[in-house]
């Protein structure tokens, strides 16, 4: 029952975040979605990643959104979509149906559970899996983080230089 | 179909991916597009955790979800920085006004 309520809350908050025209309110709905998602993860037994999702998804990303909206300005555009409404609905319904079709056989997973548990090794600690089995992935994540930071610094300093250049040579 | 935890979570995953796609498709505002992407990625994140739980490898699922969180945050940072730069350069966040190739 609790999971059902959390799931309904997640979907409602996500829909409100997408439909809301004011950017700041949309960012707040997104933060609430993140908080509920982390609660659901905790209920699923993934406590470690739930904490990170709560701090990063609901905290850091929301701060970033508010910061960006503050700089760019909370402009609300008229709600006419760039592509026809009917086409977007058809695309969404088709993709959701495709996903459901792929997932539906998995809804009766009880019969496969024994198979999985027979084939799978007992799960180790998150630490050993992360550092032992996925060290290459982890290195790539570090490279990605540094790449992202460098791109951000490049973008910001590029804009600054351009502004300075315009001021010096009007 | 019973209301077991796994069925409810699967419906939430499909719903989040659908809502995220809908948000990306209908938004004209660059920042709203990023919001739609974030919603879709949250669905993928829960899917990893659920898959790990069903396979009895919760830690592997958590580890993959952590990767998604890292990538998702980088995407959000770079996309928001781009949106701010677009706003400074073109004076608008409307993606319809940014089609400079079309005359």
């Amino acid at each position: 029952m609790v999971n059902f309520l959390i799931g309904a809350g997640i979907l409602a908050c996500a829909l409100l975040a997408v439909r809301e025209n004011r950017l700041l309110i949309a960012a707040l709905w997104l933060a609430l979605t993140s908080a509920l998602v982390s609660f659901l993860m905790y209920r699923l037994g993934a406590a470690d990643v739930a904490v990170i999702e709560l701090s990063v998804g609901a905290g850091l990303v929301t701060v970033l959104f508010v910061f960006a909206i503050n700089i760019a300005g909370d402009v609300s555009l008229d709600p006419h979509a760039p592509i026809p409404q009917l086409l977007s609905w058809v695309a969404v319904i088709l993709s959701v149906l495709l996903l459901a079709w792929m997932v539906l056989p998995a809804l009766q997973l009880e019969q496969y559970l024994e198979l999985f548990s027979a084939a799978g090794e007992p799960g180790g600690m998150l630490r050993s899996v992360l550092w032992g089995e996925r060290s290459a992935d982890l290195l790539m994540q570090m490279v990605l983080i540094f790449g992202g930071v460098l791109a951000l610094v490049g973008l910001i300093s590029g804009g600054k230089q351009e502004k300075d250049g315009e001021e010096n040579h009007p | 179909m019973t209301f077991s935890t796994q069925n409810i979570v699967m419906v939430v995953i499909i719903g989040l991916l659908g809502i995220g796609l809908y948000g990306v498709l209908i938004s004209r505002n660059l920042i709203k597009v990023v919001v739609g992407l974030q919603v879709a990625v949250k669905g993928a994140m829960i899917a990893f955790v659920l898959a790990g739980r069903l396979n009895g490898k919760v830690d592997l699922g958590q580890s993959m979800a952590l990767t998604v969180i890292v990538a998702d945050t980088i995407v959000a940072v770079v996309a928001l920085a781009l949106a701010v730069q677009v706003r400074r350069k073109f004076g608008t966040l409307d993606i319809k006004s940014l089609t400079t190739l079309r005359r």
Side-chain angles (χ1 to χ4, degrees):
Chain A
M1 186 65 190
V2 178
N3 288 338
F4 180 77
L5 287 177
I6 297 170
I10 289 172
L11 291 181
C13 290
L15 198 60
L16 282 167
V18 165
R19 295 285 299 178
E20 179 62 53
N21 217 17
R22 288 164 296 175
L23 293 175
L24 205 58
I25 311 286
L28 292 179
W29 281 120
L30 185 70
L32 197 55
T33 310
S34 284
L36 286 173
V37 163
S38 70
F39 191 29
L40 186 65
M41 282 177 173
Y42 175 73
R43 302 255 321 160
L44 287 174
D48 298 311
V49 87
V51 172
I52 297 171
E53 165 64 15
L54 191 62
S55 57
V56 174
L60 178 69
V61 172
T62 308
V63 171
L64 280 172
F65 265 105
V66 172
F67 187 58
I69 292 165
N70 204 14
I71 294 174
D74 196 348
V75 278
S76 22
L77 306 167
D78 63 327
H80 293 294
I83 58 171
Q85 192 90 2
L86 187 69
L87 191 64
S88 60
W89 272 112
V90 168
V92 169
I93 289 169
L94 269 182
S95 56
V96 165
L97 283 179
L98 186 67
L99 260 176
W101 176 69
M102 287 194 293
V103 169
L104 269 177
L107 285 178
Q108 292 88 36
L109 262 178
E110 282 82 11
Q111 51 182 328
Y112 299 113
L113 271 181
E114 284 180 14
L115 212 119
F116 280 137
S117 59
E121 298 160 9
M125 295 292 289
L126 171 69
R127 209 179 306 154
S128 65
V129 173
L130 191 64
W131 292 101
E133 295 177 23
R134 300 193 52 228
S135 48
D137 277 4
L138 211 64
L139 274 174
M140 282 176 69
Q141 282 182 40
M142 288 174 188
V143 172
L144 261 175
I145 291 173
F146 280 113
V149 170
L150 281 179
L152 188 66
V153 169
L155 276 171
I156 292 171
S157 64
K160 215 175 189 178
Q161 277 172 8
E162 206 174 284
K163 208 175 171 185
D164 291 345
E166 277 173 15
E167 277 171 13
N168 292 338
H169 308 286
Chain B
M1 184 174 150
T2 53
F3 282 101
S4 66
T5 302
Q6 134 193 356
N7 289 356
I8 290 170
V9 175
M10 278 181 182
V11 170
V12 170
I13 291 166
I14 296 173
L16 278 178
L17 287 169
I19 292 170
L21 181 64
Y22 174 71
V24 171
L25 285 177
I26 64 151
S27 301
R28 281 179 64 170
N29 195 316
L30 270 175
I31 295 179
K32 285 295 292 294
V33 174
V34 185
V35 170
L37 268 177
Q38 290 274 322
V39 169
V41 165
K42 286 192 196 319
M45 218 184 298
I46 304 176
F48 272 122
V49 172
L50 182 69
R53 182 185 145 123
L54 290 180
N55 287 324
K57 294 182 176 177
V58 181
D59 298 305
L60 186 61
Q62 288 196 79
S63 185
M64 297 301 288
L66 195 58
T67 309
V68 175
I69 290 176
V70 171
D72 177 42
T73 310
I74 293 166
V75 166
V77 169
V78 174
L80 287 175
L82 278 173
V84 169
Q85 290 297 322
V86 163
R87 168 78 170 159
R88 280 184 182 165
K89 182 109 178 157
F90 296 97
T92 180
L93 284 173
D94 190 354
I95 51 175
K96 223 173 176 181
S97 315
L98 299 177
T99 50
T100 49
L101 289 176
R102 197 172 63 189
R103 291 289 170 206

